[in-house]
């Protein structure tokens, strides 16, 4: 068991749809970070799956004339198939209809009630089923519709239970002050701080109608509001992790709490940055360390909608091209704090430029040279370039990956290819044909291979499959970087002997 622990989550996704490219974006971001942490010697817990107690799933099941339980089973399987196809390296899966989640949510509500943070009140509000959230008149567009779903919100008038969020205004302000990087990136944190300044109202956490959901423990006539149950999924998997079958083993993974990172989209930042820390404090749990907020992907500048037929299927897209192409595009075309309009053309262009041409050409250039010399290359790194290597490694590890800046990390690693290409152009190893120049030639080649080794390690969390192949082809026995005991620094500083025996097919064929 490793002592360094890291717990990362994706949002749990609604099951009125199968995941589209936007959902895949969040899960891929979380996957890269999880793999990075594993290589760096952390014991990683990575949780994901589905948010099931929603009205919209119920309506969808009714539309299909299906029993809700059968419908949810079918959709949970479909969601899992997507994440398995994309090789998302989750360790924990949660469905919010599972008995362990019901049990835990009821426990925390009881605890929160006993701590005097839940009160009864009259609820008179507008509710958008698409958002599964209440709305104010000023949130609606000029036709009185929800601007995101273009539907008329329901008017709900009933007596139910409220979470007293207003008691947390000052506590949250203080928490943000003490944790200036709680929400990444900064623009999203600033939005949340502005929101916090304006108003914090108590919000309803139960519904009077007998809807589908978790029975509210202090009043059995009511069910729990879906968001109040959903957020606690992150804790359920620590409190009652399913390690074998469906047995409920209390507290087994509580040493992973508080979560290190929640990856969420901007539309649910408010739930994670404002409500969630308050809900945790009220129930007596520590707050998460960071929330990473991603921007939104549109297609033809429209929100992605099943009914518009503009949803890009991540399985189809990655089958047509590759997971690496999709990931490269989603993580480098735009910064995480931006929204972006999806473009297949641009994705292919970036792949060809960065992976097929840049990496591919470089590899070919010195593969041919190395084969000409001999099989084994062991020498020392050229001083002219060793500084650049150490600059890359220290920068990679301590600065970018640890602040979850995936775009900058990739951009920077790709930038180092240019340095390497320039090194080749400057040293012109192909001109070193004389016997007396052999030592110099070997030295240059060794430097190049060592550099490639480092780059492959840096890129492994992103493109683990191809980078594993690359390391394998130069006969390095890094058969499972995510399970080996070395951390990044040790891997970077390892001295290796390279064996180059045969010409390979292109690692990334041009499209
Ligand atoms: O909100 N662009 O689930 P959800 C980028 N169940 N990311 C997108 C996206 C897009 N167009 N569309 C979706 C819910 N996402 C709740 C979450 S968590 C306790 C409960 C991603 O199925 C993004 O991460 O609507 C967004 O926050 C999430 O999927 C919403 O998925």
């Amino acid at each position: 068991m490793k002592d360094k622990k890291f717990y990362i989550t994706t949002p749990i996704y609604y099951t009125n749809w199968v995941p589209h490219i936007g959902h895949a974006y969040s899960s891929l971001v979380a996957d890269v970070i999880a793999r990075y942490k594993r290589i760096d010697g952390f014991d990683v817990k990575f949780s994901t799956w589905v948010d099931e107690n929603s009205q919209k799933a119920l309506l969808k099941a009714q539309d299909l004339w299906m029993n809700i339980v059968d419908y949810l089973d079918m959709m949970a399987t479909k969601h899992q198939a997507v994440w398995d196809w994309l090789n998302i390296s989750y360790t924990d899966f949660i469905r919010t209809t599972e008995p362990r989640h019901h049990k835990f949510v009821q426990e925390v509500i009881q605890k929160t009630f006993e701590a005097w943070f839940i009160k009864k009140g009259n609820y008179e509000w507008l509710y958008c089923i698409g958002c599964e959230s209440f709305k104010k008149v000023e949130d609606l567009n000029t036709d009185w519709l929800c601007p995101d779903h273009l539907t008329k919100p329901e008017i709900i008038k009933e007596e139910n239970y409220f979470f007293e969020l207003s008691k947390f205004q000052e506590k949250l302000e203080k928490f943000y002050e003490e944790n200036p990087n709680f929400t990444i990136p900064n623009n999203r944190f600033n939005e949340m701080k502005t929101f916090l300044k304006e108003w914090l109202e108590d919000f309803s956490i139960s519904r009077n109608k007998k809807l589908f959901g978790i029975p509210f423990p202090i009043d059995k006539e009511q069910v729990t509001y879906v968001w109040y149950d959903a957020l606690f999924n992150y804790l359920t998997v620590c409190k009652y992790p399913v390690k074998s079958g469906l047995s409920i083993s209390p507290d087994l993974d509580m040493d992973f709490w508080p979560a290190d990172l929640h990856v969420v989209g901007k539309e649910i930042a408010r739930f994670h940055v404002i409500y969630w820390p308050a809900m945790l404090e009220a129930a007596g749990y520590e707050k998460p360390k960071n929330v990473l907020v991603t921007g939104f992907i549109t297609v033809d500048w429209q929100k992605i909608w099943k009914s518009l037929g503009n949803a890009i299927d991540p399985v189809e897209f990655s089958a047509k091209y590759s997971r690496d192409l999709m990931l490269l595009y989603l993580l480098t075309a735009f910064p995480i704090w931006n929204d972006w309009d999806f473009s297949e053309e641009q994705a292919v262009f970036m792949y060809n430029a960065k992976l097929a041409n840049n990496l591919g050409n470089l590899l070919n250039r010195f593969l041919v040279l190395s084969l000409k010399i001999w099989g084994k290359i062991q020498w020392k790194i050229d001083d002219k370039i060793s500084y650049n290597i150490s600059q890359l490694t220290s920068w990679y590890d301590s600065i970018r990956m640890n602040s979850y800046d995936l775009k900058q990390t990739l951009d920077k690693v790709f930038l180092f290819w240019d340095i390497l290409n320039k090194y080749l152009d400057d040293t012109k190893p192909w001109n070193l044909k004389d016997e007396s120049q052999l030592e110099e030639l070997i030295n240059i080649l060794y430097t190049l291979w060592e550099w490639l080794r480092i780059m492959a390690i840096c890129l492994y969390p992103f493109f683990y499959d191809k980078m594993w192949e690359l390391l394998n082809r130069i006969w390095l026995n890094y058969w499972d970087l995510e399970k080996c005991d070395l951390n990044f620094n040790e891997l970077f500083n390892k001295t290796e002997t390279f064996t180059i025996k045969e010409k390979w097919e292109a690692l990334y064929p041009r499209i």
Side-chain angles (χ1 to χ4, degrees):
M1 202 38 117
K2 297 172 176 167
D3 351 313
K4 295 198 291 181
K5 296 201 177 289
F6 188 82
Y7 176 31
I8 182 165
T9 67
T10 72
I12 46 169
Y13 304 112
Y14 287 129
T15 55
N16 52 327
W17 279 12
V18 286
H20 58 59
I21 196 88
H23 302 108
Y25 174 41
S26 298
S27 290
L28 286 169
V29 165
D31 185 66
V32 168
I33 296 169
R35 288 179 191 272
Y36 161 74
K37 287 288 172 185
R38 272 187 214 116
I39 303 177
D40 208 19
F42 283 79
D43 186 7
V44 173
K45 185 175 172 78
F46 176 7
S47 175
T48 190
W49 213 4
V50 281
D51 187 354
E52 297 184 299
N53 299 313
S54 71
Q55 285 190 64
K56 46 185 171 184
L58 190 65
L59 292 177
K60 194 68 197 272
Q62 283 165 357
D63 271 359
L64 296 172
W65 293 89
M66 277 181 85
N67 166 304
I68 182 71
V69 176
D70 294 342
Y71 174 78
L72 291 177
D73 285 350
M74 173 183 86
M75 291 309 285
T77 311
K78 286 191 175 180
H79 274 244
Q80 182 170 20
V82 174
W83 307 132
D84 286 348
W85 165 269
L86 293 178
N87 270 323
I88 301 299
S89 59
Y90 60 84
T91 58
D92 287 67
F93 249 36
I94 179 154
R95 294 180 58 177
T96 53
T97 47
E98 287 176 64
R100 58 177 177 147
H101 183 63
H102 276 231
K103 179 173 156 66
F104 182 63
V105 167
Q106 293 183 329
E107 278 167 18
V108 279
I109 291 176
Q110 189 66 41
K111 230 169 133 183
T112 309
F113 180 67
E114 283 163 16
W116 301 98
F117 291 115
I118 293 178
K119 66 170 188 205
K120 207 166 188 177
N122 282 316
Y123 181 82
E124 192 173 342
W125 228 314
L126 301 167
Y127 189 83
C128 170
I129 295 185
C131 300
E132 293 289 3
S133 115
F134 40 86
K135 296 278 166 195
K136 299 193 123 195
V137 173
E138 52 267 37
D139 296 332
L140 305 180
N141 69 13
T142 43
D143 297 323
W144 305 99
L145 303 177
C146 161
D148 285 341
H149 296 94
L150 301 181
T151 48
K152 209 168 157 191
E154 277 183 23
I155 301 172
I156 296 174
K157 228 172 157 178
E158 62 187 28
E159 192 176 52
N160 57 33
Y161 291 84
F162 281 70
F163 174 67
E164 293 181 277
L165 184 66
S166 54
K167 289 187 177 165
F168 290 87
Q169 182 109 25
E170 277 169 25
K171 290 188 175 107
L172 282 174
E173 276 164 8
K174 187 157 172 275
F175 172 66
Y176 290 174
E177 247 173 62
E178 286 166 358
N179 297 278
N181 300 319
F182 174 58
T183 303
I184 308 165
N186 241 327
N187 63 333
R188 302 289 172 209
F189 202 11
N190 289 338
E191 284 167 15
M192 293 300 112
K193 286 177 186 164
T194 312
F195 182 83
L196 181 65
K197 269 195 207 120
E198 283 172 13
W199 53 267
L200 270 196
E201 284 182 50
D202 300 343
F203 64 91
S204 157
I205 58 167
S206 74
R207 296 293 297 277
N208 195 330
K209 275 193 262 170
K210 271 277 177 209
L211 291 172
F212 186 69
I214 301 182
F216 202 66
I218 37 187
D219 184 340
K220 295 279 161 40
E221 291 306 302
Q222 306 227 347
V223 289
T224 312
Y225 166 50
V226 59
W227 266 102
Y228 205 77
D229 109 52
L231 283 161
F232 279 108
N233 90 84
Y234 303 133
L235 253 169
T236 302
V237 296
C238 294
K239 189 84 183 164
Y240 301 124
V242 179
K243 295 257 156 139
S244 57
L246 263 178
S247 68
I248 290 181
S249 353
D251 289 347
L252 211 59
D253 272 354
M254 276 311 281
D255 48 356
F256 279 98
W257 194 261
D260 292 275
L261 188 65
H262 294 310
V263 177
V264 303
K266 66 170 187 181
E267 89 293 14
I268 58 173
R270 187 158 41 114
F271 288 96
H272 287 82
V273 178
I274 296 183
Y275 298 2
W276 181 224
M279 286 160 58
L280 283 165
E281 185 165 336
Y285 288 99
E286 271 184 80
K287 301 177 184 70
K289 291 184 199 150
N290 287 118
V291 179
L292 179 64
V293 184
T294 59
F296 248 57
I297 297 166
T298 53
V299 174
D300 299 330
W301 306 104
Q302 305 247 33
K303 218 177 136 86
I304 302 177
W305 278 122
K306 248 298 177 308
S307 50
L308 286 178
N310 67 351
I312 309 277
D313 176 344
V315 172
E316 257 173 41
F317 189 75
S318 60
K320 180 169 174 192
Y321 298 110
S322 65
R323 180 196 200 259
D324 286 2
L325 178 145
M326 186 166 84
L327 188 142
L328 175 79
Y329 176 64
L330 292 175
L331 298 195
T332 56
F334 53 99
I336 208 155
W337 56 83
N338 260 31
D339 296 339
W340 199 253
D341 196 53
F342 187 83
S343 152
E344 184 164 343
E345 228 169 68
Q346 195 185 20
V348 173
F349 178 82
M350 285 184 74
Y351 165 90
N352 278 336
K354 295 196 172 170
L355 294 178
N357 291 355
N358 233 340
L359 173 63
N361 282 348
L362 194 71
L363 264 175
N364 274 347
R365 277 173 95 181
F366 56 88
L367 182 64
V368 174
L369 270 175
S370 305
L371 278 168
K372 272 197 190 142
I373 306 302
W374 59 58
K376 266 187 195 272
I377 300 178
Q378 181 174 33
W379 212 253
K380 69 179 183 61
I381 297 178
D382 194 337
D383 293 339
K384 286 199 282 299
I385 203 164
S386 62
Y387 167 70
N388 296 105
I389 297 188
S390 58
Q391 205 190 16
L392 171 64
T393 55
S394 68
W395 182 89
Y396 175 85
D397 200 23
S398 60
I399 308 174
R400 288 302 146 202
M401 280 307 263
N402 270 321
S403 57
Y404 312 126
D405 194 340
L406 305 185
K407 173 170 164 53
Q408 278 233 39
T409 304
L410 276 179
D411 286 350
K412 191 85 170 190
V413 177
F414 288 126
L415 206 69
F416 274 77
W417 261 311
D418 298 340
I419 299 177
L420 200 50
N421 264 318
K422 185 170 178 310
Y423 173 72
L424 262 184
D425 291 339
D426 289 349
T427 52
K428 298 188 178 47
W430 44 88
N431 286 342
L432 304 174
K433 291 182 180 144
D434 199 87
E435 189 68 20
S436 63
Q437 296 169 315
L438 190 61
E439 190 178 319
E440 194 185 340
L441 176 59
I442 295 172
N443 210 343
I444 293 170
L445 290 179
Y446 179 80
T447 304
L448 290 168
W449 286 115
E450 171 58 9
W451 186 284
L452 248 195
R453 184 185 76 87
I454 300 280
M455 299 249 241
I457 296 169
C458 291
L459 292 179
Y460 188 93
F462 301 85
F463 313 117
Y464 60 91
D465 204 15
K466 292 289 178 177
M467 292 307 121
W468 177 82
E469 203 177 322
L470 173 59
L471 290 166
N472 236 3
R473 283 176 179 183
I474 52 180
W475 289 77
L476 296 183
N477 191 13
Y478 295 171
W479 57 273
D480 196 344
L481 273 182
E482 291 176 64
K483 285 196 191 126
C484 77
D485 288 333
L486 300 174
N487 62 28
F488 266 104
N489 256 338
E490 290 160 330
L491 279 166
F492 284 148
N493 295 322
K494 232 166 160 254
T495 309
E496 292 290 2
T497 307
F498 302 99
T499 309
I500 292 97
K501 284 188 173 168
E502 57 204 15
K503 196 164 176 355
W504 332 314
E505 295 292 305
L507 205 57
Y508 286 108
R510 240 187 105 75
I511 295 174

